[in-house]
Each structure stands twice: as structure tokens, then as C-alpha cells.
Amino acid sequence: DIQMTQSPSSLSASVGDRVTITCRASQTIGSYLNWYQQRPGKAPKLLIYAASSLQSGVPSRFSGSGSGSDFTLTISSLQPEDFATYYCQQTYFTPLAFGQGTKVEIK
Amino acid sequence: EVQLVESGGGLVQPGGSLRLSCAPSGFTVSNTYMSWVRQAPGKGLEWVSVIYSGGNTYYADSVKGRFTISRDNSKNTLYLQMNSLRAEDTAVYFCARVRDGYNFRYFDYWGQGTLVTVSS
């Protein structure tokens, strides 16, 4: 099975900061990597698919990069509504595993 | 507008069974990949199962042999039959639509979730 490892597990940042979250797959997954945002008590929301494609309606401050086994989610200028937990997910092979999540908190 | 509405959650004793339903609007389950994802209280997301448009099904090792994903095209509804439930199956269960194509596969729409509690 493919394991997904995110780092960091949590971070504290201020509004306006640039934030970077990384995700590493235990084997190559091409570009089959997605990023989701989840606010407390809500369903996950798709942000980025195929490693770097921005989902319709998602603000352009979110971007994704990488291929193979190393991937990055970047928020260029953190906004108050971005404080949430972020998950990566590989969809190359079943089981379609998620990373453990990165909680972005207010500094 | 695409929406997904789950139902069927509740309190069940260990060893018991429950069937979750997911009723979409705005598309049909018959020609769409669909998936279930769960989230235990205070924990991260855990993928549970997927059904492809051709009918192939796949499961996480943690539920294989106990859970069954299916769909009823006439009712346009996705199901998750859960048998031999354990305390560790306690979670909010989400259904999600899966978009699949050349070099991509992602979960673009999610339901609001339904809570399953396994306890005596």
C-alpha cells in the first residue's frame, strides 16, 4: 500500500503569511495527488487536483506543485478563512490513502 | 447543482449492522465513480471504499469482508452495508463523487456526513 506523509502536522501562522505544506508518497504516484481543506464540523473541500490544477472557485492564493513522490501545497497570503486542516490524497492505486493532515492555526 | 445527502447513521451495538445511503442530485450514480470516506472523532480522513462505473469495487483493509459498497441505479442511490461493526468503526461517514480521467482522479463533491456510533 502507498503511505502518505504530510509535514508539518501543525503550524501557526499569521494573516498574510506564506504557508507551505509538503506531502510525500512512499512510492511514485505520478500526478495523482489531490489537496483538500477541512474546516471543523464540515466536509472536506477539494482545492487542488492532479498535483497542480486549481479546482474551480478556489482562490488563486492556493497552488500545488510536484510530481512523482514529493508534493507541495502553498498558500501565498494566508487569509482568516484559511485556518483549517489540510489533507493530501493519492489516487494512483487503491487504497486511496490520505495524509494524516496539517492543522493551520492562528499565531 | 450537485448535492450529496447521506442518511442511515446512528447508534449500533458491537457486532451489529447498519446500511448507509447517499442520494445525489445533479448527476446519476450509474455512470459515476463513487466513494465512502470516514473520520473518527478528532482524527483524520480515512478512505473506506470505491465503486467504479463498471461495477468494480475496492475496500480499505480495515473494512474488507465486513463492508459492501453498492448502488441502486433505479433509485439513484449509493449504499454502504456495514456488518460486524466494531467500536473502531465509530466515525462520521462521507460519500463523495469521484471524477476520473487521463492522469487525474479526485473527489470533487462531498456529502455532509452521517455519524455512526458503535457502542454497547
Side-chain angles (χ1 to χ4, degrees):
Chain A
D1 295 356
I2 300 173
Q3 311 300 323
M4 306 301 294
T5 303
Q6 285 181 237
S7 61
S9 296
S10 64
L11 65 91
S12 295
S14 301
V15 172
D17 283 354
R18 181 181 181 89
V19 169
T20 298
I21 299 169
T22 64
C23 180
R24 173 165 289 177
S26 59
Q27 62 189 80
T28 184
I29 57 171
S31 296
Y32 283 84
L33 190 285
N34 310 311
W35 290 97
Y36 301 87
Q37 176 194 67
Q38 188 181 33
R39 298 188 177 103
K42 300 296 186 182
K45 173 187 174 183
L46 177 68
L47 299 176
I48 302 287
Y49 66 92
S52 60
S53 294
L54 189 68
Q55 171 68 347
S56 176
V58 174
S60 58
R61 63 181 179 273
F62 291 93
S63 64
S65 63
S67 66
S69 60
D70 290 301
F71 303 87
T72 299
L73 173 70
T74 299
I75 309 172
S76 60
S77 177
L78 200 63
Q79 298 302 300
E81 59 268 30
D82 301 337
F83 292 95
T85 301
Y86 295 84
Y87 295 92
C88 64
Q89 179 203 30
Q90 72 82 17
T91 51
Y92 190 62
F93 279 140
T94 56
L96 307 179
F98 291 90
Q100 81 278 15
T102 296
K103 187 173 184 179
V104 176
E105 298 176 301
I106 301 173
K107 182 182 284 186
Chain B
E1 182 188 5
V2 172
Q3 283 190 321
L4 298 160
V5 179
E6 300 100 336
S7 60
L11 175 64
V12 61
Q13 293 188 335
S17 299
L18 212 54
R19 189 179 77 163
L20 306 183
S21 300
C22 171
S25 55
F27 70 95
T28 57
V29 298
S30 61
N31 57 5
T32 306
Y33 291 16
M34 297 291 296
S35 191
W36 288 96
V37 175
R38 68 184 181 183
Q39 186 169 38
K43 302 298 184 182
L45 301 173
E46 180 188 13
W47 175 76
V48 173
S49 181
V50 66
I51 183 167
Y52 290 162
S53 53
N56 289 351
T57 59
Y58 300 90
Y59 299 91
D61 286 345
S62 58
V63 306
K64 200 174 295 182
R66 300 187 300 122
F67 289 13
T68 302
I69 190 172
S70 64
R71 63 186 179 220
D72 184 329
N73 295 340
S74 65
K75 295 182 178 179
N76 197 35
T77 300
L78 175 74
Y79 299 104
L80 186 68
Q81 177 66 44
M82 304 185 295
N83 298 330
S84 303
L85 283 161
R86 307 166 180 167
E88 54 265 36
D89 296 318
T90 294
V92 173
Y93 285 74
F94 298 98
C95 65
R97 186 177 80 168
V98 184
R99 299 310 303 270
D100 180 86
Y102 178 70
N103 268 349
F104 65 83
R105 184 176 299 126
Y106 55 87
F107 295 15
D108 64 343
Y109 284 95
W110 297 65
Q112 83 287 353
T114 186
L115 176 63
V116 172
T117 303
V118 184
S119 174
S120 55

